[in-house]
Amino acid sequence: MENVFIMDHPLIQHKITMLRDENTGTNEFRKIVEEIGELMAYEALRDLPTEMVEVTTPIEKCMAPVISGKKLAIIPVLRAGLGFVNSILALVPSAKVGHIGLYRDPETHEPHDYYCKLPENIDERIAIVVDPMLATGGSACAAVDFIKKKGGKSIKFMCLIAAPEGLERLHREHPDVQIYIGCLDRCLNENAYICPGLGDAGDRIFGTK
Ligand code: PRP
Ligand code: URA
């Protein structure tokens, strides 16, 4: 599928397995999410544009690449997406951070928005939307819809685990969005949770329930 990238790196797979384990506690869970976020962002930012600048080394002058032009916006879907913010800031400290607050209705599984704030000039930035879970795809589609309405044109979506249903929906509604997935799981259950998944990502990152 064009614009869909499923990670097969053993480090990412190993760490996702640790997250799946119900015995992994909040502190460890949060740390591992951050570690995976950094590994995945490294891959998701592979196509950042560069330009050549002149630099003087101790030996001679040369032309060498730097990241150019478009600035990055990291946009976590609250709450669980917050778990990835520091990972990407560690790689690109100059990135700006927007927030999109959504929660799923427990009955209908439809997303409801409660907060949205994006960095200025979103039309000139590469937006990387982060959320550990892509289940029905409702939240991811709502987040991307919102960014596009505000003028966003270049959008990536990064998640730890996706269900085929959510991937299909996000790709169908937004074929221009590049989707980065740590692992593609089997299916959704009757409560629209991902199987085997890792449970409720927000609860596991923040220790709520
Ligand atoms: C989770 C998750 C996604 C959403 C995915 O958030 O972090 O945002 O569900 O499900 P979907 O693809 O079916 O929309 P949740 O709504 O539980 O909110 P929380 O992060 O505040 O716990
Ligand atoms: N949200 C989660 O946190 N986990 C799921 O499996 C589905 C939606």
Side-chain angles (χ1 to χ4, degrees):
M1 243 192 265
E2 203 190 344
N3 278 347
V4 176
F5 306 90
I6 300 174
M7 306 288 144
D8 55 4
H9 198 291
L11 277 176
I12 295 176
Q13 299 312 314
H14 177 92
K15 288 173 193 288
I16 289 177
T17 301
M18 294 170 79
L19 295 181
R20 292 188 193 279
D21 188 338
E22 62 179 0
N23 295 315
T24 299
T26 302
N27 194 17
E28 198 186 355
F29 192 94
R30 208 172 19 230
K31 274 197 218 142
I32 298 170
V33 168
E34 273 199 41
E35 288 170 12
I36 300 174
E38 220 169 301
L39 295 169
M40 287 189 68
Y42 178 79
E43 197 52 42
L45 300 178
R46 175 181 284 284
D47 60 355
L48 279 187
T50 57
E51 64 190 13
M52 301 303 277
V53 296
E54 188 178 270
V55 62
T56 306
T57 78
I59 309 299
E60 62 179 27
K61 278 189 201 311
C62 69
M63 298 300 286
V66 291
I67 294 188
S68 76
K70 287 197 165 187
K71 299 276 188 281
L72 198 67
I74 308 165
I75 306 180
V77 176
L78 307 181
R79 295 173 292 168
L82 290 171
F84 279 148
V85 172
N86 286 340
S87 322
I88 305 181
L89 282 175
L91 299 179
V92 188
S94 63
K96 299 289 186 281
V97 183
H99 296 86
I100 297 186
L102 297 171
Y103 73 91
R104 286 200 322 177
D105 182 290
E107 302 297 326
T108 65
H109 311 131
E110 286 298 314
H112 294 273
D113 61 290
Y114 56 88
Y115 184 79
C116 289
K117 178 94 180 164
L118 300 184
E120 283 187 331
N121 307 330
I122 195 70
D123 53 318
E124 293 167 15
R125 295 179 186 275
I126 295 171
I128 178 157
V129 182
V130 292
D131 189 335
M133 309 306 273
L134 177 62
T136 66
S139 304
C141 287
V144 171
D145 284 340
F146 180 78
I147 295 165
K148 285 188 175 175
K149 256 189 221 132
K150 294 286 178 190
K153 293 181 185 70
S154 175
I155 303 175
K156 295 170 182 277
F157 179 85
M158 185 175 112
C159 67
L160 278 178
I161 297 183
E165 295 89 332
L167 171 59
E168 193 276 326
R169 177 171 171 186
L170 180 58
H171 186 60
R172 177 168 34 85
E173 292 190 18
H174 297 288
D176 55 306
V177 170
Q178 293 172 310
I179 305 171
Y180 298 87
I181 297 171
C183 193
L184 183 61
D185 270 12
R186 195 176 73 251
C187 63
L188 295 176
N189 69 13
E190 61 284 6
N191 298 317
Y193 272 80
I194 300 174
C195 304
L198 49 72
D200 186 302
D203 284 341
R204 296 204 61 194
I205 290 173
F206 296 108
T208 48
K209 191 66 197 163

